[in-house]
Amino acid sequence: MNIFKSRSNKPPNKGKSRFSKINAWLHLWLGLASGIIVFIMAITGCILVFEQEIKSLTSPWLNVEVQSPEKLLPPSQIYAAVQKALPNKEIHGVWYNGLDKSIKVDIESDSLIYVNPYNGQITGMVDHEDFFHIVDEGHRNLWLDRDIGSQITAWATFIFFFLLISGLILWFPKKWNKTTIKNSFKIKWDAKFKRLNYDLHNVMGFYVLILAILISFTGLLMSFHWLRESTYWISGGWVTEKDKTEKTITLKNDDLSEQQLDKLEAADFIWKKVRTEIAKENKEAVIIHFPDDPKDDFYACTDMHKGIWRDLYFDAKTLQLLPKSENYISNERFSDWLMRSNYSLHIGAIGGLSTKIIYFTASLICASLPLTGFYIWWGRKKKQKSRV
């Protein structure tokens, strides 16, 4: 007796609409096409979630004994100390990471320099291309040339975002009853591997859906400028003439005897102003970047907390805060906050360690979806061959 005889007379996908058939077809083949890329990005993303925590535990040169904020050395003295220890090295900027952390000095080298913020002594010199740098290159560029790799990962993320939506359509039961609810929301752990694999793809995919959409969309905002601009506009970021006037911010510069200051004096001035007048939280975490050209603006960064920061730009001559430093405004709009918090939302740092653990789990499940999906397709393919 041929058990497939009665089934062979039925038309395939009976009862399904054309939209459902197209959606299922796209979900299958786009998933197969992007599966390996999504897997690599999800696994590397899992590792990068805890990058700072792992580095803090495994890199003793990052930590220093806490002292009074008044004992912190200004950028000019850090610059002089590093230049004395490493002559002929061009220094681009200094990163103050807090009272208990070493300063990271950005120099023209393949190494990263860490300096004690209280005495200027070098605490560590490590290779720039460390383990996490390699993982990050895989996450962003698949270890390919940046121009090529970044485009591949960007469009793979776009496809994954579509797969999440199409997967929800496939998951959604036609009828809601006790059986469909059980099959849609529960994993049958004692079932055979084929059924268990299907549940892991179908059910776990649903539970991770919201976070997966958030992770992929924030990744798309970093990949596509047009999407970032559109999202900024939709979330209320349109600029009026009134806004432009309000954003023209002038800092007090009574300490300046002349408008033109040399690079190091200007850096010290900006560092002091950021800590005392601009920073709202984590005041001792400040980045000061030295302009490559005297005509270029000074860049500073502050409020670096849980993956969020504020970008600040100062006029090279007057040292006034420029209008494009929108994130400094006290009545910050939701659109500005959203753009500023995008990276934190992407890596799960928005809520500290708790959200990082949740994001790690979600990324791990996302990495499993291409594998479980491939096995579902492979099993059906083998079953079709056996029927033939």
Side-chain angles (χ1 to χ4, degrees):
M1 178 179 178
N2 187 350
I3 61 174
F4 300 112
K5 184 175 180 180
S6 60
R7 296 182 182 179
S8 61
N9 295 328
K10 294 181 180 180
N13 298 323
K14 183 180 179 180
K16 289 187 176 182
S17 65
R18 177 171 296 182
F19 172 78
S20 298
K21 293 177 183 178
I22 294 175
N23 180 68
W25 186 86
L26 290 173
H27 189 85
L28 169 63
W29 293 107
L30 289 177
L32 291 174
S34 63
I36 185 64
I37 302 173
V38 171
F39 174 79
I40 292 173
M41 294 178 68
I43 287 296
T44 53
C46 285
I47 300 172
L48 293 172
V49 165
F50 295 109
E51 177 182 1
Q52 300 304 321
E53 288 77 8
I54 295 174
K55 281 185 175 181
S56 181
L57 293 174
T58 60
S59 307
W61 55 83
L62 295 178
N63 304 308
V64 297
E65 185 179 351
V66 178
Q67 298 184 33
S68 171
E70 289 74 20
K71 294 185 178 181
L72 287 173
L73 299 179
S76 61
Q77 294 188 32
I78 298 297
Y79 186 101
V82 174
Q83 194 172 56
K84 182 178 179 181
L86 300 171
N88 302 322
K89 291 291 185 181
E90 186 176 355
I91 301 174
H92 298 289
V94 291
W95 299 38
Y96 291 82
N97 296 305
L99 296 176
D100 62 338
K101 301 294 182 182
S102 298
I103 296 174
K104 184 171 72 172
V105 180
D106 184 12
I107 66 173
E108 190 178 14
S109 172
D110 293 331
S111 301
L112 294 176
I113 308 300
Y114 293 91
V115 179
N116 189 308
Y118 304 105
N119 56 28
Q121 294 181 357
I122 294 178
T123 60
M125 184 181 301
V126 297
D127 188 358
H128 175 68
E129 296 187 359
D130 60 0
F131 170 74
F132 287 103
H133 177 79
I134 296 173
V135 173
D136 186 65
E137 283 295 309
H139 186 74
R140 295 173 183 268
N141 309 318
L142 299 176
W143 303 288
L144 300 173
D145 180 77
R146 183 177 181 179
D147 293 336
I148 299 175
S150 61
Q151 288 297 312
I152 296 176
T153 55
W155 286 107
T157 305
F158 184 85
I159 293 174
F160 181 65
F161 183 82
F162 170 81
L163 291 174
L164 293 171
I165 305 301
S166 64
L168 177 62
I169 296 172
L170 290 172
W171 169 88
F172 202 87
K174 291 182 177 180
K175 296 181 180 180
W176 290 98
N177 53 47
K178 187 176 181 181
T179 301
T180 57
I181 291 175
K182 182 179 180 181
N183 292 336
S184 301
F185 293 98
K186 293 184 178 180
I187 298 175
K188 193 174 182 180
W189 295 103
D190 58 347
K192 293 183 179 180
F193 180 76
K194 186 176 181 180
R195 170 59 190 273
L196 177 61
N197 179 78
Y198 178 81
D199 283 352
L200 289 174
H201 186 83
N202 191 51
V203 179
M204 295 303 292
F206 169 76
Y207 283 128
V208 81
L209 178 67
I210 295 178
L211 267 184
I213 288 177
L214 179 61
I215 293 172
S216 57
F217 186 75
T218 51
L220 291 174
L221 289 181
M222 290 185 280
S223 301
F224 297 106
H225 180 74
W226 60 267
L227 181 61
R228 185 178 180 88
E229 292 294 320
S230 300
T231 303
Y232 181 73
W233 184 83
I234 292 172
S235 59
W238 50 82
V239 179
T240 64
E241 291 300 323
K242 182 180 178 181
D243 293 329
K244 292 179 181 179
T245 304
E246 291 177 349
K247 290 178 183 178
T248 304
I249 304 166
T250 302
L251 292 179
K252 297 178 182 179
N253 56 357
D254 299 335
D255 299 339
L256 298 178
S257 58
E258 299 179 0
Q259 284 190 333
Q260 293 186 352
L261 299 174
D262 64 32
K263 180 171 64 176
L264 296 182
E265 289 178 338
D268 287 354
F269 176 82
I270 292 173
W271 177 67
K272 179 183 177 181
K273 286 294 182 182
V274 170
R275 293 170 62 230
T276 58
E277 297 183 14
I278 300 178
K280 298 180 179 180
E281 57 183 342
N282 199 17
K283 296 178 180 294
E284 308 309 332
V286 179
I287 297 175
I288 301 294
H289 185 270
F290 304 119
D292 296 327
D293 189 287
K295 296 181 181 179
D296 293 342
D297 299 329
F298 264 91
Y299 168 78
C301 184
T302 186
D303 292 338
M304 293 175 288
H305 184 60
K306 293 183 178 180
I308 304 176
W309 59 85
R310 296 179 187 274
D311 293 319
L312 305 171
Y313 298 90
F314 296 83
D315 185 272
K317 292 184 177 180
T318 64
L319 299 189
Q320 292 180 357
L321 191 64
L322 296 174
K324 61 182 177 181
S325 302
E326 299 174 0
N327 294 328
Y328 169 59
I329 303 174
S330 57
N331 56 338
E332 183 180 36
R333 292 178 298 194
F334 172 74
S335 55
D336 295 318
W337 176 89
L338 181 62
M339 296 298 104
R340 187 165 62 87
S341 306
N342 185 69
Y343 178 74
S344 181
L345 291 170
H346 184 70
I347 66 173
I350 191 73
L353 184 60
S354 58
T355 52
K356 283 191 173 186
I357 294 174
I358 295 173
Y359 268 62
F360 174 84
T361 306
S363 296
L364 200 60
I365 295 174
C366 288
S368 72
L369 294 179
L371 302 180
T372 53
F374 176 82
Y375 187 81
I376 292 173
W377 169 76
W378 184 257
R380 290 176 178 175
K381 186 178 180 182
K382 289 178 64 178
K383 187 175 182 180
Q384 290 175 356
K385 287 184 178 180
S386 64
R387 288 180 179 180
V388 174

